[in-house]
Amino acid sequence: MLELVGVTKRYGDRVAVDDLSLSVGPGQMFGFVGTNGAGKTTTMRILMGVLEQDAGQVRWNGRPADADARRSFGYMPEERGLYPKMRIREQLVYLARLRGTARDVAANAVEELLAEFGLADRGGDRVEALSLGNQQRVQLAAALVHDPAFLVLDEPFSGLDPVGVDALAEILAQRVRRGVGVLFSSHQLDLVERLCHAVGIIRAGRIVATGTVEELRKQNRPRRYLVAVGAGAGWTAAVPGVEVVAEDRRDDSLATTVELAATVDPQQLLDAARAAGPVHEFRPLTPSLVDLFREVVSEDLTESSSHTAPSPATQEIPA
Ligand SMILES: Nc1ncnc2c1ncn2[C@@H]1O[C@H](COP(=O)(O)OP(=O)(O)OP(=O)(O)O)[C@@H](O)[C@H]1O
C-alpha cells in the first residue's frame, strides 16, 4: 500500500502541493488527473524521492518510504530520461542492474519486455533511431524492467497511437492482476475512466475529489434525466423540485434535460411526462469523468487561488 499523508511542497511563495493525502492499494490502478500546473508531477517526484516535501510523509506498506522501498518502484518521469545514443537492449539491462537486478535475470527480463512491447527486433537499435511512440514504449519498459512492486507513471499514454494505448493498457493490467499498484497521471480522461479502479482529481495542489468514478458520480451530485415527450414545454412545472437544464426540439417530441432535487422520485417525473403526452425516451444521464472533472475543477476558483501567492509571470490559469 502506497500512501501520501498531508504532503505539502512550496516553490518560493507558490504552494504547488497542499496537504495532499491519497492511497493506492496493491493491484489498484489509480488515475491522477488535474489541469496543467495542478501539482501532479511535483507529487510524483516527491513520491519517488526526486524532490523533498516541506511537510507530510510518503509511506510504503505502513512505514515511511526509504531508498530501498523506492528502488522497488518503477518510475516513468515527465522529463523521460533515456540515453539517445545507447542501444535499447544495453540500456534496459543497465537500468535493471542499477536497480539491483542480477545480470542474467535482467537480460531475460529485457528480452521478455521487448517482445511484450513489440520491439523484439529493435533491441540493437539506438534509442534515437526509434519513432517517438516507440521511444515512449522503451521508456515504459525501463520503468518495468526490474519487476517493480509499484509503478509511478507521469503521462505514460501521451504520444501513443490507439494501438499503442491498448497494448500499454494490457501490459499494465497484467501487472495489476499480479498485485502491482499503479499511480499514473493523464489528461486522457476517457482512458482513465476505462482503466482505473480509482481516480484522484487535483486542483491547485489539493485533492478535490477522490474515489471510484461511480463514487464521484454519487457525491453530492444532482441527478439528471433526459425525457422526450410529444408535448410542448412547461409540463415539468407539475413536479416541484425539477429544474430544466436544456431543451432540444426533435421531430416527434421535445427532449428536456432536467435536474432533480433530492426530494423528487423519478417516477413522479415519469408520471408527469406521461400525463403530458407520449413518452419517447426517459433515462438517467450518467456524467462521464470529463463532466465530473469539469465540475470539480471549475468550482470555487476564487477560493482555490487564495492559498497561492500569484506572480503574474508564472501563474497557471485553471482550465
Ligand atoms: N521547479 C519549479 N520551480 C518553481 N515552480 C515550479 C517548479 N516546478 C513546478 N512548479 C510549479 O508548481 C505547480 C505544479 O506544477 P506541476 O508540474 O507539478 O503540475 P502538473 O499537474 O504536473 O502539470 P502538467 O499537467 O502541466 O504537467 C505549477 O504552478 C508549476 O508552475
Side-chain angles (χ1 to χ4, degrees):
M1 163 86 83
L2 185 281
E3 291 165 285
L4 296 180
V5 186
V7 169
T8 296
K9 174 73 187 172
R10 291 183 198 85
Y11 293 109
D13 287 344
R14 173 175 293 277
V15 185
V17 176
D18 188 3
D19 194 20
L20 183 145
S21 299
L22 59 82
S23 62
V24 186
Q28 192 180 44
M29 185 99 93
F30 185 95
F32 199 29
V33 301
T35 47
N36 292 129
K40 302 177 293 295
T41 296
T42 302
T43 304
M44 286 188 269
R45 287 181 180 152
I46 290 169
L47 210 160
M48 290 307 300
V50 177
L51 266 181
E52 202 172 338
Q53 66 272 31
D54 296 309
Q57 206 174 45
V58 180
R59 298 176 70 78
W60 174 240
N61 292 339
R63 289 208 293 270
D66 57 13
D68 274 348
R70 285 176 165 128
R71 215 168 294 129
S72 75
F73 298 174
Y75 180 38
M76 179 171 171
E78 183 186 52
E79 61 277 16
R80 309 310 188 215
L82 296 170
Y83 303 103
K85 304 253 176 246
M86 203 167 165
R87 297 187 194 282
I88 293 158
R89 180 176 288 113
E90 216 179 308
Q91 177 148 190
L92 291 175
V93 171
Y94 171 74
L95 291 170
R97 301 274 294 138
L98 273 187
R99 301 269 174 143
T101 310
R103 182 173 292 282
D104 54 338
V105 176
N108 284 335
V110 167
E111 292 317 313
E112 273 175 32
L113 275 172
L114 288 175
E116 230 181 329
F117 279 94
L119 294 168
D121 56 344
R122 307 298 302 265
D125 291 356
R126 294 181 204 280
V127 171
E128 65 187 1
L130 297 183
S131 69
L132 282 179
N134 278 337
Q135 289 188 25
Q136 177 93 337
R137 288 170 201 226
V138 177
Q139 191 77 57
L140 283 155
L144 292 168
V145 76
H146 60 300
D147 198 16
F150 192 84
L151 281 167
V152 181
L153 308 172
D154 202 339
E155 296 267 357
F157 293 98
S158 70
L160 294 180
D161 65 29
V163 176
V165 166
D166 286 348
L168 172 62
E170 181 47 34
I171 288 169
L172 293 181
Q174 278 174 16
R175 274 33 180 208
V176 163
R177 284 196 288 273
R178 298 207 307 248
V180 174
V182 181
L183 180 144
F184 76 94
S185 65
S186 180
H187 292 291
Q188 291 152 276
L189 300 187
D190 52 338
L191 199 59
V192 173
E193 182 164 3
R194 177 155 69 85
L195 301 182
C196 289
H197 305 110
V199 300
I201 303 180
I202 181 172
R203 185 191 61 190
R206 293 182 189 172
I207 291 276
V208 286
T210 186
T212 64
V213 173
E214 201 43 48
E215 283 164 353
L216 298 193
R217 283 193 183 111
K218 287 183 184 148
Q219 277 167 17
N220 306 320
R221 225 187 156 271
R223 296 158 302 156
R224 284 190 176 188
Y225 276 72
L226 181 104
V227 192
V229 188
W235 62 270
T236 53
V239 193
V242 173
E243 189 190 329
V244 175
V245 177
E247 286 178 331
D248 179 25
R249 172 63 57 197
R250 295 181 180 173
D251 288 346
D252 58 357
S253 57
L254 179 70
T256 308
T257 301
V258 292
E259 212 162 85
L260 306 192
T263 48
V264 179
D265 179 347
Q267 292 303 319
Q268 289 173 271
L269 183 70
L270 179 58
D271 290 346
R274 293 180 66 169
V279 176
H280 295 270
E281 194 174 346
F282 182 87
R283 63 183 167 91
L285 292 174
T286 311
S288 66
L289 182 57
V290 175
D291 298 328
L292 297 167
F293 180 84
R294 286 212 177 96
E295 258 171 47
V296 297
V297 301
S298 60
E299 275 167 10
D300 298 334
L301 284 175
T302 43
E303 182 258 340
S304 83
S305 55
S306 66
H307 72 289
T308 60
S311 107
T314 56
Q315 193 178 10
E316 303 273 357
I317 299 168

